[in-house]
Amino acid sequence: MTKPVDYYQVLGIPPRAHLRVIEESYWEQAHELKNQPTRKAQRRLSRLNEAYEVLGTPYRRARYDAERAGLRGTDGLARQGRCGRFLETFFGLFARPFRPG
């Protein structure tokens, strides 16, 4: 089993960072890597893109943070199950735009 990727660490930002800080960190690092033809730089850029896709979208970031919090602690799997169902229901209700009948 592979270790989950910490997207905050990939971008080099604290977990409570504002969206603007996330964007600035992403663009700064991506600009440095975009002209490097090495495979290592391309893998790093790919990981940066993945981290930005998740953390740059409020809905995806909230789900990522909830999953990340649910995996911590001694009873992580149990908490993840309870929390996951609640979040699934919550996001199912409020993530989609409301369309009156």
Side-chain angles (χ1 to χ4, degrees):
M1 179 181 252
T2 61
K3 183 179 175 185
V5 177
D6 184 3
Y7 293 135
Y8 292 106
Q9 189 176 22
V10 169
L11 289 173
I13 57 172
R16 298 187 61 92
H18 190 272
L19 183 59
R20 184 173 294 146
V21 174
I22 293 170
E23 290 174 356
E24 288 174 1
S25 176
Y26 168 74
W27 288 110
E28 182 180 303
Q29 292 181 47
H31 182 70
E32 291 174 5
L33 292 172
K34 73 176 183 178
N35 294 326
Q36 295 181 10
T38 64
R39 288 185 183 174
K40 184 177 180 181
Q42 296 304 319
R43 282 193 303 264
R44 174 95 174 109
L45 186 60
S46 174
R47 192 163 279 198
L48 276 173
N49 287 332
E50 183 180 339
Y52 182 68
E53 281 182 26
V54 173
L55 299 179
T57 308
Y59 169 74
R60 289 181 182 170
R61 182 178 181 183
R63 287 194 61 142
Y64 173 74
D65 288 341
E67 290 173 7
R68 194 168 169 253
L71 294 176
R72 286 192 198 140
T74 57
D75 63 338
L77 294 177
R79 288 190 307 155
Q80 181 185 16
R82 288 193 302 266
C83 183
R85 278 184 261 127
F86 169 75
L87 287 173
E88 230 175 83
T89 305
F90 179 79
F91 286 127
L93 291 172
F94 298 108
R96 290 184 227 123
F98 176 73
R99 294 189 184 107

XYZ file of all heavy atoms in Angstrom:
836
model
N 0.841 -1.174 0.000
C 0.000 0.000 0.000
C 0.892 1.245 0.000
O 1.818 1.355 0.765
C -0.905 -0.029 1.227
C -1.810 1.174 1.332
S -2.829 1.094 2.792
C -4.379 0.749 2.020
N 0.582 2.185 -0.863
C 1.385 3.392 -0.955
C 0.905 4.436 0.052
O -0.266 4.489 0.408
C 1.306 3.996 -2.363
O -0.044 4.340 -2.635
C 1.825 3.032 -3.402
N 1.834 5.261 0.472
C 1.521 6.317 1.421
C 0.763 7.424 0.686
O 1.153 7.827 -0.409
C 2.817 6.859 2.007
C 2.635 7.909 3.049
C 3.978 8.349 3.586
C 3.799 9.501 4.549
N 5.084 10.021 5.004
N -0.332 7.944 1.274
C -1.070 9.014 0.602
C -0.221 10.285 0.475
O 0.602 10.584 1.328
C -2.281 9.263 1.505
C -2.041 8.526 2.756
C -0.935 7.545 2.527
N -0.451 11.017 -0.583
C 0.312 12.222 -0.856
C -0.277 13.386 -0.061
O -1.489 13.585 -0.030
C 0.257 12.551 -2.370
C 0.991 13.834 -2.663
C 0.810 11.406 -3.177
N 0.584 14.146 0.586
C 0.153 15.345 1.305
C 0.291 16.528 0.349
O 1.381 17.028 0.090
C 1.007 15.551 2.552
C 0.554 16.736 3.391
O -0.471 17.363 3.035
O 1.218 17.038 4.390
N -0.832 16.981 -0.180
C -0.814 18.037 -1.177
C -0.323 19.372 -0.608
O 0.236 20.182 -1.329
C -2.197 18.215 -1.801
C -2.621 17.034 -2.631
C -3.901 16.498 -2.530
C -1.749 16.451 -3.538
C -4.291 15.424 -3.304
C -2.126 15.371 -4.315
C -3.406 14.866 -4.192
O -3.787 13.803 -4.952
N -0.544 19.585 0.665
C -0.040 20.821 1.280
C 1.491 20.822 1.275
O 2.113 21.840 1.031
C -0.561 20.969 2.709
C -2.045 21.222 2.764
C -2.934 20.236 3.166
C -2.564 22.457 2.394
C -4.288 20.468 3.212
C -3.927 22.703 2.427
C -4.783 21.706 2.837
O -6.133 21.938 2.869
N 2.071 19.663 1.530
C 3.530 19.555 1.529
C 4.072 19.704 0.108
O 5.120 20.302 -0.100
C 3.949 18.222 2.131
C 5.426 18.103 2.358
C 5.774 16.795 3.052
O 5.023 15.833 3.011
N 6.925 16.771 3.692
N 3.358 19.158 -0.866
C 3.782 19.274 -2.263
C 3.880 20.746 -2.668
O 4.835 21.161 -3.318
C 2.805 18.518 -3.198
C 3.074 18.843 -4.659
C 2.880 17.025 -2.962
N 2.884 21.536 -2.254
C 2.889 22.960 -2.592
C 3.716 23.792 -1.625
O 3.970 24.971 -1.878
C 1.454 23.496 -2.627
C 0.602 23.010 -3.798
C -0.837 23.454 -3.631
C 1.157 23.508 -5.110
N 4.115 23.200 -0.498
C 4.928 23.917 0.474
C 4.175 25.004 1.215
O 4.703 26.095 1.442
N 2.936 24.713 1.578
C 2.086 25.691 2.262
C 1.488 25.068 3.519
O 1.405 23.844 3.635
C 0.951 26.175 1.335
C 0.126 24.987 0.847
C 1.492 26.980 0.182
C -1.115 25.347 0.084
N 1.045 25.897 4.469
C 0.379 25.355 5.654
C -1.050 24.922 5.311
O -1.658 25.443 4.370
C 0.371 26.528 6.636
C 0.484 27.739 5.799
C 1.268 27.336 4.578
N -1.619 23.990 6.069
C -2.970 23.496 5.779
C -4.068 24.563 5.850
O -5.102 24.411 5.229
C -3.202 22.423 6.844
C -1.854 21.958 7.210
C -0.966 23.156 7.083
N -3.868 25.625 6.571
C -4.901 26.655 6.675
C -4.653 27.820 5.708
O -5.184 28.914 5.899
C -4.989 27.152 8.107
C -5.390 26.034 9.064
C -5.642 26.512 10.449
N -6.713 27.476 10.535
C -7.989 27.194 10.758
N -8.354 25.947 10.887
N -8.881 28.152 10.851
N -3.887 27.593 4.675
C -3.532 28.655 3.729
C -4.752 29.120 2.947
O -5.649 28.343 2.619
C -2.463 28.161 2.764
N -4.749 30.401 2.628
C -5.807 31.011 1.833
C -5.651 30.572 0.375
O -4.551 30.227 -0.073
C -5.691 32.538 1.956
C -6.863 33.267 1.387
N -6.930 33.637 0.079
C -8.029 33.675 1.958
C -8.074 34.255 -0.151
N -8.752 34.290 0.982
N -6.734 30.618 -0.371
C -6.710 30.216 -1.775
C -5.674 31.008 -2.573
O -4.993 30.459 -3.434
C -8.093 30.378 -2.397
C -8.247 29.945 -3.843
C -7.893 28.465 -4.002
C -9.654 30.195 -4.330
N -5.518 32.260 -2.268
C -4.539 33.093 -2.973
C -3.112 32.575 -2.750
O -2.292 32.568 -3.659
C -4.646 34.545 -2.521
C -3.718 35.456 -3.304
C -3.938 36.906 -2.979
N -5.263 37.298 -3.444
C -6.042 38.186 -2.829
N -5.645 38.762 -1.722
N -7.209 38.492 -3.319
N -2.811 32.121 -1.536
C -1.487 31.575 -1.229
C -1.269 30.271 -2.007
O -0.170 30.024 -2.519
C -1.342 31.337 0.294
C -0.036 30.646 0.619
C -1.463 32.647 1.041
N -2.312 29.472 -2.115
C -2.225 28.226 -2.874
C -1.904 28.527 -4.332
O -1.009 27.927 -4.927
C -3.542 27.422 -2.760
C -3.738 26.945 -1.328
C -3.563 26.248 -3.732
C -5.103 26.356 -1.054
N -2.623 29.472 -4.905
C -2.395 29.838 -6.304
C -0.987 30.383 -6.529
O -0.320 30.002 -7.497
C -3.426 30.874 -6.747
C -4.817 30.325 -6.861
C -5.857 31.396 -7.161
O -5.510 32.600 -7.200
O -7.016 31.017 -7.341
N -0.554 31.279 -5.654
C 0.782 31.864 -5.807
C 1.872 30.811 -5.711
O 2.830 30.805 -6.497
C 1.007 32.935 -4.745
C 0.226 34.196 -4.982
C 0.344 35.186 -3.837
O 1.051 34.896 -2.848
O -0.285 36.255 -3.938
N 1.739 29.895 -4.755
C 2.729 28.838 -4.596
C 2.769 27.935 -5.822
O 3.836 27.579 -6.324
C 2.413 28.019 -3.343
O 3.307 26.948 -3.218
N 1.586 27.581 -6.316
C 1.511 26.722 -7.502
C 2.165 27.398 -8.713
O 3.022 26.805 -9.376
C 0.057 26.371 -7.822
C -0.096 25.747 -9.187
C 0.298 24.436 -9.416
C -0.591 26.473 -10.257
C 0.169 23.862 -10.671
C -0.723 25.915 -11.509
C -0.337 24.607 -11.713
O -0.443 24.045 -12.957
N 1.763 28.624 -8.998
C 2.276 29.284 -10.195
C 3.768 29.554 -10.116
O 4.481 29.447 -11.114
C 1.513 30.582 -10.471
C 0.136 30.311 -10.969
C -1.038 30.522 -10.307
C -0.224 29.728 -12.225
N -2.098 30.113 -11.065
C -1.625 29.617 -12.263
C 0.496 29.284 -13.314
C -2.312 29.086 -13.338
C -0.190 28.745 -14.396
C -1.568 28.651 -14.403
N 4.248 29.883 -8.929
C 5.681 30.126 -8.759
C 6.495 28.857 -9.035
O 7.477 28.878 -9.779
C 5.938 30.613 -7.331
C 7.377 30.942 -7.040
C 7.537 31.409 -5.600
O 6.870 32.392 -5.231
O 8.322 30.782 -4.867
N 6.067 27.746 -8.452
C 6.796 26.487 -8.642
C 6.627 25.951 -10.064
O 7.575 25.421 -10.648
C 6.317 25.451 -7.632
C 6.701 25.808 -6.211
C 6.239 24.763 -5.233
O 6.432 23.571 -5.461
N 5.628 25.200 -4.145
N 5.425 26.075 -10.616
C 5.190 25.595 -11.980
C 6.021 26.386 -12.987
O 6.558 25.818 -13.945
C 3.710 25.690 -12.323
N 6.149 27.684 -12.766
C 6.951 28.519 -13.666
C 8.419 28.087 -13.652
O 9.076 28.075 -14.691
C 6.816 29.988 -13.266
C 7.574 30.916 -14.160
N 7.189 31.153 -15.458
C 8.690 31.648 -13.949
C 8.050 31.996 -16.013
N 8.963 32.306 -15.115
N 8.918 27.726 -12.480
C 10.307 27.277 -12.371
C 10.526 25.939 -13.080
O 11.589 25.693 -13.639
C 10.703 27.129 -10.906
C 10.807 28.437 -10.163
C 11.048 28.234 -8.675
O 11.236 27.075 -8.238
O 11.034 29.238 -7.944
N 9.518 25.074 -13.059
C 9.678 23.718 -13.595
C 9.299 23.572 -15.066
O 9.698 22.600 -15.701
C 8.823 22.734 -12.783
C 9.250 22.493 -11.350
C 8.198 21.669 -10.625
C 10.590 21.777 -11.313
N 8.546 24.523 -15.610
C 7.987 24.306 -16.950
C 9.036 24.211 -18.054
O 8.815 23.552 -19.054
C 6.960 25.367 -17.287
C 7.523 26.718 -17.593
C 6.434 27.672 -18.000
C 7.039 29.004 -18.373
N 6.039 29.934 -18.820
N 10.189 24.827 -17.900
C 11.210 24.797 -18.939
C 12.297 23.758 -18.704
O 13.261 23.705 -19.457
C 11.846 26.178 -19.091
C 10.859 27.187 -19.613
O 9.993 26.864 -20.412
N 10.955 28.420 -19.131
N 12.142 22.956 -17.670
C 13.125 21.915 -17.391
C 12.682 20.618 -18.067
O 11.610 20.103 -17.779
C 13.264 21.701 -15.889
C 13.835 22.896 -15.175
C 13.981 22.656 -13.691
O 13.823 21.534 -13.221
N 14.279 23.702 -12.950
N 13.509 20.085 -18.963
C 13.102 18.901 -19.718
C 13.323 17.565 -18.993
O 13.012 16.522 -19.540
C 13.990 18.974 -20.969
C 15.224 19.666 -20.487
C 14.769 20.636 -19.437
N 13.819 17.573 -17.784
C 14.118 16.319 -17.100
C 12.840 15.608 -16.668
O 11.807 16.237 -16.442
C 14.999 16.548 -15.851
O 14.260 17.339 -14.919
C 16.290 17.255 -16.213
N 12.940 14.298 -16.554
C 11.781 13.512 -16.121
C 11.393 13.833 -14.688
O 10.220 13.847 -14.338
C 12.074 12.019 -16.253
C 12.096 11.555 -17.670
C 12.261 10.078 -17.746
N 12.355 9.690 -19.144
C 12.612 8.481 -19.548
N 12.828 7.527 -18.664
N 12.664 8.201 -20.825
N 12.397 14.089 -13.870
C 12.129 14.425 -12.477
C 11.305 15.711 -12.389
O 10.353 15.804 -11.623
C 13.441 14.584 -11.714
C 13.268 14.829 -10.244
C 14.603 14.896 -9.536
C 14.438 15.154 -8.052
N 15.722 15.247 -7.361
N 11.666 16.705 -13.192
C 10.922 17.965 -13.203
C 9.504 17.752 -13.723
O 8.549 18.349 -13.208
C 11.644 19.001 -14.056
N 9.359 16.895 -14.716
C 8.029 16.625 -15.264
C 7.141 15.898 -14.256
O 5.946 16.184 -14.144
C 8.141 15.814 -16.563
C 8.839 16.554 -17.684
C 8.174 17.875 -18.001
O 6.975 17.991 -18.034
N 8.993 18.907 -18.213
N 7.729 14.958 -13.493
C 6.965 14.267 -12.444
C 6.560 15.249 -11.352
O 5.440 15.213 -10.854
C 7.775 13.118 -11.848
C 7.812 11.880 -12.718
C 8.343 10.689 -11.939
N 9.672 10.940 -11.391
C 10.818 10.586 -11.953
N 10.801 9.944 -13.101
N 11.975 10.847 -11.372
N 7.477 16.132 -10.998
C 7.188 17.141 -9.968
C 6.081 18.084 -10.441
O 5.176 18.417 -9.690
C 8.461 17.929 -9.662
C 8.278 19.078 -8.736
C 8.576 18.705 -7.302
N 8.525 19.893 -6.471
C 7.559 20.130 -5.602
N 6.615 19.255 -5.421
N 7.555 21.231 -4.887
N 6.125 18.481 -11.704
C 5.092 19.345 -12.266
C 3.740 18.633 -12.287
O 2.706 19.221 -11.992
C 5.485 19.805 -13.664
C 4.579 20.822 -14.332
C 4.506 22.102 -13.508
C 5.079 21.128 -15.735
N 3.765 17.357 -12.607
C 2.541 16.567 -12.602
C 1.939 16.502 -11.200
O 0.730 16.657 -11.021
C 2.832 15.159 -13.119
O 1.707 14.345 -12.999
N 2.785 16.300 -10.205
C 2.312 16.252 -8.817
C 1.800 17.626 -8.374
O 0.811 17.723 -7.657
C 3.428 15.773 -7.902
C 2.913 15.427 -6.534
C 3.866 14.602 -5.789
N 3.716 13.216 -6.223
C 4.161 12.183 -5.549
N 4.791 12.373 -4.418
N 3.999 10.971 -5.979
N 2.463 18.692 -8.805
C 1.987 20.050 -8.504
C 0.604 20.293 -9.100
O -0.276 20.860 -8.453
C 2.954 21.097 -9.062
C 4.155 21.479 -8.231
C 5.064 22.403 -9.031
C 3.750 22.129 -6.943
N 0.421 19.868 -10.355
C -0.876 20.023 -11.004
C -1.973 19.282 -10.248
O -3.069 19.798 -10.061
C -0.820 19.525 -12.448
C -0.062 20.458 -13.348
O 0.000 21.659 -13.102
N 0.540 19.910 -14.390
N -1.660 18.062 -9.828
C -2.617 17.260 -9.076
C -2.977 17.939 -7.751
O -4.149 18.034 -7.379
C -2.019 15.881 -8.814
C -2.923 14.923 -8.101
C -2.245 13.584 -7.882
O -1.272 13.248 -8.589
O -2.703 12.864 -6.979
N -1.973 18.458 -7.052
C -2.213 19.139 -5.773
C -3.051 20.398 -5.987
O -3.964 20.684 -5.208
C -0.886 19.485 -5.116
N -2.761 21.136 -7.042
C -3.508 22.367 -7.300
C -4.952 22.077 -7.697
O -5.867 22.810 -7.331
C -2.819 23.203 -8.380
C -3.527 24.504 -8.649
C -3.554 25.496 -7.683
C -4.170 24.729 -9.851
C -4.214 26.703 -7.919
C -4.826 25.919 -10.096
C -4.845 26.891 -9.131
O -5.504 28.067 -9.364
N -5.182 20.997 -8.441
C -6.544 20.618 -8.806
C -7.388 20.358 -7.566
O -8.559 20.719 -7.513
C -6.546 19.374 -9.691
C -6.211 19.629 -11.128
C -6.288 18.357 -11.962
O -7.033 17.438 -11.582
O -5.598 18.303 -12.981
N -6.786 19.710 -6.579
C -7.522 19.380 -5.355
C -7.656 20.591 -4.444
O -8.752 20.925 -3.996
C -6.839 18.210 -4.607
C -7.485 17.983 -3.260
C -6.902 16.948 -5.437
N -6.554 21.269 -4.155
C -6.590 22.357 -3.181
C -7.096 23.665 -3.764
O -7.542 24.545 -3.021
C -5.196 22.567 -2.572
C -4.623 21.383 -1.818
C -3.242 21.718 -1.285
C -5.539 20.943 -0.694
N -7.068 23.817 -5.056
C -7.519 25.050 -5.688
C -9.019 25.127 -5.878
O -9.555 26.172 -6.243
N -9.730 24.041 -5.625
C -11.182 24.000 -5.730
C -11.756 23.831 -4.322
O -11.444 22.843 -3.661
C -11.620 22.814 -6.616
O -10.915 22.867 -7.850
C -13.111 22.832 -6.855
N -12.562 24.764 -3.844
C -13.057 24.682 -2.456
C -13.765 23.360 -2.123
O -13.555 22.802 -1.046
C -14.024 25.860 -2.355
C -13.516 26.837 -3.359
C -12.971 26.004 -4.489
N -14.581 22.850 -3.026
C -15.291 21.600 -2.778
C -14.315 20.436 -2.629
O -14.390 19.656 -1.685
C -16.273 21.338 -3.928
C -16.877 19.966 -3.916
C -17.853 19.637 -2.984
C -16.488 18.995 -4.831
C -18.414 18.371 -2.967
C -17.041 17.740 -4.818
C -18.005 17.432 -3.889
O -18.553 16.186 -3.877
N -13.380 20.325 -3.554
C -12.392 19.234 -3.487
C -11.482 19.380 -2.275
O -11.104 18.398 -1.654
C -11.554 19.202 -4.761
C -12.318 18.734 -5.958
C -11.432 18.698 -7.166
N -12.172 18.295 -8.331
C -11.697 18.357 -9.550
N -10.477 18.810 -9.767
N -12.422 17.965 -10.569
N -11.147 20.619 -1.934
C -10.284 20.848 -0.776
C -11.000 20.423 0.508
O -10.390 19.819 1.390
C -9.891 22.320 -0.703
C -8.950 22.611 0.447
C -8.545 24.054 0.473
N -7.627 24.312 1.562
C -7.145 25.488 1.865
N -7.485 26.545 1.141
N -6.324 25.637 2.874
N -12.277 20.740 0.625
C -13.035 20.347 1.818
C -13.096 18.834 1.949
O -12.929 18.281 3.043
C -14.440 20.936 1.752
N -13.304 18.144 0.845
C -13.336 16.676 0.888
C -11.966 16.114 1.244
O -11.853 15.178 2.025
C -13.803 16.110 -0.449
C -15.290 16.320 -0.639
C -15.820 15.506 -1.756
N -15.609 14.096 -1.469
C -16.464 13.147 -1.764
N -17.593 13.453 -2.319
N -16.196 11.890 -1.508
N -10.918 16.692 0.665
C -9.557 16.240 0.959
C -9.231 16.455 2.436
O -8.684 15.567 3.091
C -8.555 16.992 0.075
C -7.114 16.705 0.418
C -6.527 15.489 0.081
C -6.349 17.647 1.088
C -5.211 15.224 0.404
C -5.027 17.390 1.411
C -4.464 16.171 1.061
O -3.158 15.913 1.387
N -9.582 17.613 2.972
C -9.326 17.903 4.381
C -10.095 16.951 5.286
O -9.579 16.502 6.308
C -9.683 19.346 4.715
C -8.697 20.344 4.135
O -7.564 19.927 3.787
O -9.053 21.532 4.023
N -11.333 16.644 4.912
C -12.133 15.717 5.717
C -11.528 14.318 5.690
O -11.441 13.655 6.729
C -13.566 15.683 5.197
N -11.104 13.871 4.536
C -10.464 12.554 4.430
C -9.157 12.535 5.202
O -8.849 11.573 5.886
C -10.208 12.200 2.972
C -11.451 11.903 2.186
C -11.170 11.714 0.713
O -9.978 11.678 0.325
O -12.128 11.599 -0.058
N -8.420 13.609 5.098
C -7.129 13.721 5.790
C -7.332 13.696 7.302
O -6.581 13.054 8.029
C -6.479 15.033 5.349
C -5.054 15.195 5.668
C -4.530 16.407 4.882
N -3.224 16.741 5.363
C -2.940 17.791 6.110
N -3.891 18.634 6.437
N -1.730 17.994 6.524
N -8.336 14.383 7.791
C -8.626 14.403 9.231
C -9.168 13.055 9.690
O -8.897 12.626 10.802
C -9.629 15.502 9.547
N -9.914 12.384 8.844
C -10.500 11.102 9.201
C -9.479 9.993 9.301
O -9.701 8.995 9.982
N -8.352 10.135 8.664
C -7.333 9.090 8.683
C -6.379 9.226 9.851
O -5.586 8.338 10.107
C -6.538 9.109 7.374
C -7.331 8.730 6.137
C -6.467 8.877 4.892
C -7.856 7.319 6.237
N -6.433 10.331 10.589
C -5.545 10.533 11.729
C -6.115 9.866 12.973
O -7.302 9.638 13.085
C -5.391 12.020 12.019
C -4.545 12.713 11.032
C -4.209 14.081 11.559
N -3.749 14.912 10.472
C -4.056 16.169 10.311
N -4.826 16.763 11.167
N -3.584 16.842 9.294
N -5.247 9.612 13.918
C -5.693 9.098 15.208
C -5.699 7.586 15.251
O -5.456 6.899 14.261
N -6.007 7.046 16.430
C -5.977 5.601 16.595
C -7.191 4.928 15.994
O -7.116 3.802 15.533
C -5.897 5.239 18.093
O -7.004 5.841 18.759
C -4.598 5.733 18.698
N -8.329 5.611 15.996
C -9.545 5.020 15.439
C -9.875 5.653 14.088
O -11.021 5.886 13.768
C -10.708 5.173 16.405
C -11.058 6.626 16.663
O -10.183 7.486 16.441
O -12.193 6.898 17.072
N -8.867 5.900 13.286
C -9.034 6.607 12.021
C -10.022 5.975 11.077
O -10.838 6.658 10.477
N -9.992 4.668 10.946
C -10.890 4.028 9.997
C -12.337 4.132 10.451
O -13.225 4.352 9.643
C -10.488 2.569 9.802
C -9.135 2.371 9.126
C -8.797 0.891 9.054
C -9.126 2.970 7.739
N -12.585 3.996 11.742
C -13.956 4.120 12.250
C -14.464 5.541 12.053
O -15.600 5.750 11.624
C -14.008 3.734 13.721
N -13.627 6.533 12.371
C -14.052 7.915 12.205
C -14.270 8.246 10.743
O -15.164 8.991 10.397
C -13.016 8.866 12.803
C -13.005 8.829 14.298
C -12.158 9.926 14.864
N -10.841 9.901 14.273
C -10.068 10.952 14.188
N -10.454 12.098 14.658
N -8.873 10.864 13.648
N -13.462 7.674 9.882
C -13.601 7.956 8.462
C -14.955 7.472 7.959
O -15.598 8.137 7.175
C -12.477 7.292 7.669
C -12.562 7.589 6.191
C -11.513 6.834 5.407
O -10.937 5.892 5.897
N -11.307 7.243 4.189
N -15.406 6.327 8.428
C -16.694 5.800 7.986
C -17.848 6.696 8.385
O -18.706 7.027 7.579
N -17.900 7.104 9.627
C -18.990 7.971 10.100
C -18.921 9.338 9.437
O -19.918 9.868 8.981
C -18.932 8.117 11.613
C -19.338 6.875 12.349
C -19.570 7.178 13.812
N -18.398 7.740 14.476
C -17.494 7.043 15.143
N -17.618 5.739 15.229
N -16.484 7.645 15.723
N -17.746 9.899 9.408
C -17.566 11.231 8.836
C -17.819 11.198 7.324
O -18.419 12.102 6.779
C -16.154 11.720 9.128
S -15.822 13.385 8.561
N -17.377 10.149 6.682
C -17.526 10.043 5.236
C -18.979 10.033 4.798
O -19.358 10.688 3.830
N -19.824 9.296 5.527
C -21.236 9.244 5.171
C -21.904 10.603 5.365
O -22.701 11.030 4.550
C -21.955 8.175 5.995
C -21.769 6.801 5.393
C -22.538 5.750 6.140
N -21.541 5.105 7.021
C -21.681 4.960 8.316
N -22.756 5.354 8.939
N -20.737 4.391 9.033
N -21.570 11.275 6.464
C -22.140 12.596 6.702
C -21.720 13.564 5.598
O -22.551 14.298 5.056
C -21.693 13.137 8.063
C -22.029 14.585 8.250
C -23.331 14.971 8.502
C -21.053 15.558 8.117
C -23.652 16.309 8.646
C -21.360 16.892 8.268
C -22.664 17.276 8.533
N -20.423 13.575 5.280
C -19.937 14.504 4.258
C -20.517 14.188 2.890
O -20.820 15.095 2.119
C -18.412 14.477 4.205
C -17.723 15.149 5.381
C -16.230 14.923 5.307
C -18.034 16.623 5.415
N -20.681 12.913 2.592
C -21.282 12.537 1.320
C -22.681 13.105 1.204
O -23.072 13.670 0.185
C -21.331 11.009 1.216
C -20.769 10.473 -0.067
C -20.737 8.970 -0.029
O -21.779 8.363 -0.320
O -19.680 8.412 0.273
N -23.463 12.965 2.275
C -24.821 13.497 2.285
C -24.807 15.018 2.209
O -25.542 15.622 1.420
C -25.558 13.059 3.571
O -25.504 11.641 3.658
C -26.994 13.520 3.556
N -23.958 15.653 3.017
C -23.880 17.110 3.045
C -23.504 17.666 1.678
O -24.166 18.565 1.160
C -22.863 17.557 4.092
C -22.696 19.036 4.175
C -23.612 19.806 4.858
C -21.628 19.659 3.551
C -23.467 21.181 4.931
C -21.474 21.026 3.621
C -22.397 21.787 4.307
N -22.444 17.132 1.081
C -22.008 17.639 -0.219
C -23.005 17.295 -1.312
O -23.163 18.026 -2.275
C -20.618 17.113 -0.572
C -19.521 17.768 0.210
C -18.612 17.014 0.908
C -19.402 19.136 0.249
C -17.604 17.610 1.634
C -18.398 19.753 0.970
C -17.496 18.989 1.666
N -23.689 16.167 -1.159
C -24.721 15.813 -2.131
C -25.869 16.808 -2.127
O -26.448 17.123 -3.167
N -26.185 17.328 -0.962
C -27.278 18.291 -0.862
C -26.872 19.695 -1.287
O -27.626 20.404 -1.946
C -27.792 18.352 0.587
C -28.519 17.116 1.090
C -28.790 17.251 2.579
C -29.814 16.928 0.329
N -25.678 20.130 -0.894
C -25.311 21.517 -1.063
C -24.291 21.805 -2.154
O -24.046 22.958 -2.474
C -24.799 22.086 0.261
C -25.848 22.057 1.327
C -25.751 21.158 2.373
C -26.931 22.888 1.272
C -26.724 21.112 3.350
C -27.916 22.864 2.239
C -27.814 21.968 3.287
N -23.681 20.802 -2.735
C -22.682 21.049 -3.763
C -23.299 21.339 -5.116
O -22.747 22.063 -5.920
C -21.733 19.860 -3.889
N -24.473 20.804 -5.336
C -25.143 21.038 -6.612
C -25.987 22.316 -6.527
O -26.537 22.628 -5.488
C -26.052 19.856 -6.931
C -25.268 18.635 -7.269
C -26.185 17.492 -7.675
N -25.719 16.320 -6.923
C -26.442 15.611 -6.126
N -27.718 15.846 -5.953
N -25.940 14.588 -5.468
N -26.136 23.018 -7.628
C -26.958 24.213 -7.586
C -28.429 23.860 -7.333
O -28.915 22.830 -7.797
C -26.783 24.842 -8.964
C -26.123 23.848 -9.804
C -25.526 22.803 -8.910
N -29.115 24.698 -6.597
C -30.515 24.460 -6.296
C -31.368 24.842 -7.489
O -31.229 25.927 -8.052
C -30.920 25.290 -5.073
C -32.379 25.164 -4.751
C -32.854 23.985 -4.194
C -33.246 26.190 -4.986
C -34.200 23.857 -3.884
C -34.585 26.068 -4.680
C -35.060 24.890 -4.128
N -32.239 23.935 -7.881
C -33.140 24.194 -8.999
C -34.575 23.952 -8.519
O -34.961 22.809 -8.304
C -32.831 23.272 -10.171
C -31.476 23.539 -10.776
C -31.315 22.740 -12.063
N -29.989 22.944 -12.559
C -29.004 22.047 -12.521
N -29.215 20.871 -11.988
N -27.826 22.331 -13.004
N -35.325 25.009 -8.331
C -36.698 24.810 -7.863
C -37.529 24.096 -8.913
O -37.328 24.245 -10.111
C -37.219 26.231 -7.621
C -36.248 27.153 -8.267
C -34.980 26.404 -8.488
N -38.453 23.280 -8.410
C -39.303 22.408 -9.213
C -39.929 23.025 -10.352
O -40.220 22.692 -11.382
